[in-house]
Amino acid sequence: MINQLVFATNNSNKVAEVKKLLHNRFDIISLKDAGIQQDIPEPFDTLEENAAIKSTTIFKLTGQHCFSEDTGLFVAALQGQPGVKSARYAGEQASNEDNIEKLLQQLQAYTNRQAYFKTVISLILDGKQYLFDGICHGTILPAKKGTGGFGYDAVFMPDGSNKSFGEMTMDEKAQFSHRKKAVKKLVEFLDHLSTIPC
């Protein structure tokens, strides 16, 4: 059975969230834990390609089973922006606050505030790639609500809730989370593997 996976990220928030979603069923090793300090470029126009380049790079460096994820916020009124550039929407060195401020400014002239988060996970087992995705539809709020979460969580309210992700606990967020949906597919796939691929 597969017990350990390298998670190709240096984002401690994502590591904590994924570990929580996996209920400690797997030993998740971050890039820092694996002794890898480099940032991996995300040069492509799709989440799938960006997730794939991260996981394949880490597999080549470590030779270990690994996975990566790429997540984007797609806003209808902005023709899908910020999309794959969500983390760098306000610039390469932009903070979460910078990105949120730009998003709210861009949406000031629009009444349609529909959006969705999409996560794509790229899993590499012995050099072979498997993709899993998850989507959460919702609305962009006119102002931040809550101080929890990360990224755009404070301005995103998922359909079926009256709270933003920023107001939710991890358990509450997991009921709606795009990342949870992708992780669930990943776990279901791993559960069907009786042995590590040769």
Side-chain angles (χ1 to χ4, degrees):
M1 294 295 293
I2 296 168
N3 296 314
Q4 187 178 88
L5 292 165
V6 177
F7 186 8
T9 185
N10 284 312
N11 186 320
S12 59
N13 290 308
K14 287 185 177 182
V15 173
E17 185 171 317
V18 167
K19 284 184 175 181
K20 177 82 171 177
L21 293 173
L22 290 173
H23 303 292
N24 297 314
R25 294 174 62 185
F26 302 93
D27 183 16
I28 303 300
I29 304 298
S30 70
L31 290 184
K32 182 179 179 181
D33 294 335
I36 299 171
Q37 300 298 324
Q38 74 183 72
D39 285 325
I40 303 168
E42 301 174 346
F44 299 108
D45 294 327
T46 68
L47 299 176
E48 289 80 3
E49 290 173 299
N50 284 330
I53 191 66
K54 288 188 283 188
S55 60
T56 54
T57 298
I58 296 308
F59 179 76
K60 289 175 182 177
L61 287 172
T62 67
Q64 297 183 54
H65 303 303
C66 64
F67 71 98
S68 66
E69 66 93 52
D70 200 22
T71 295
L73 175 65
F74 297 81
V75 180
L78 303 180
Q79 291 76 51
Q81 292 184 39
V84 296
K85 300 190 183 300
S86 292
R88 307 175 300 281
Y89 191 39
E92 288 297 323
Q93 304 301 319
S95 66
N96 291 335
E97 295 295 321
D98 295 334
N99 289 330
I100 287 174
E101 182 178 351
K102 179 176 179 179
L103 176 64
L104 295 182
Q105 287 177 346
Q106 296 285 79
L107 280 174
Q108 283 181 349
Y110 297 95
T111 56
N112 177 9
R113 303 181 76 87
Q114 292 180 332
Y116 67 88
F117 272 116
K118 181 178 179 180
T119 289
V120 173
I121 292 175
S122 170
L123 171 71
I124 303 289
L125 297 180
D126 200 33
K128 188 172 182 179
Q129 178 183 232
Y130 306 87
L131 291 174
F132 312 92
D133 64 12
I135 292 175
C136 176
H137 292 275
T139 302
I140 303 299
L141 299 171
K144 293 193 298 181
K145 290 181 65 179
T147 57
F150 58 98
Y152 296 89
D153 283 358
V155 293
F156 183 85
M157 184 171 67
D159 290 348
S161 175
N162 59 3
K163 290 182 177 181
S164 75
F165 274 163
E167 295 176 289
M168 295 182 183
T169 65
M170 276 195 183
D171 288 336
E172 289 174 324
K173 182 179 177 181
Q175 297 176 35
F176 304 93
S177 171
H178 44 290
R179 193 168 285 110
K180 168 66 177 293
K181 293 172 184 176
V183 168
K184 182 180 179 182
K185 292 177 183 178
L186 169 67
V187 171
E188 289 173 348
F189 175 78
L190 292 174
D191 281 345
H192 280 86
L193 296 179
S194 58
T195 59
I196 296 176
C198 298

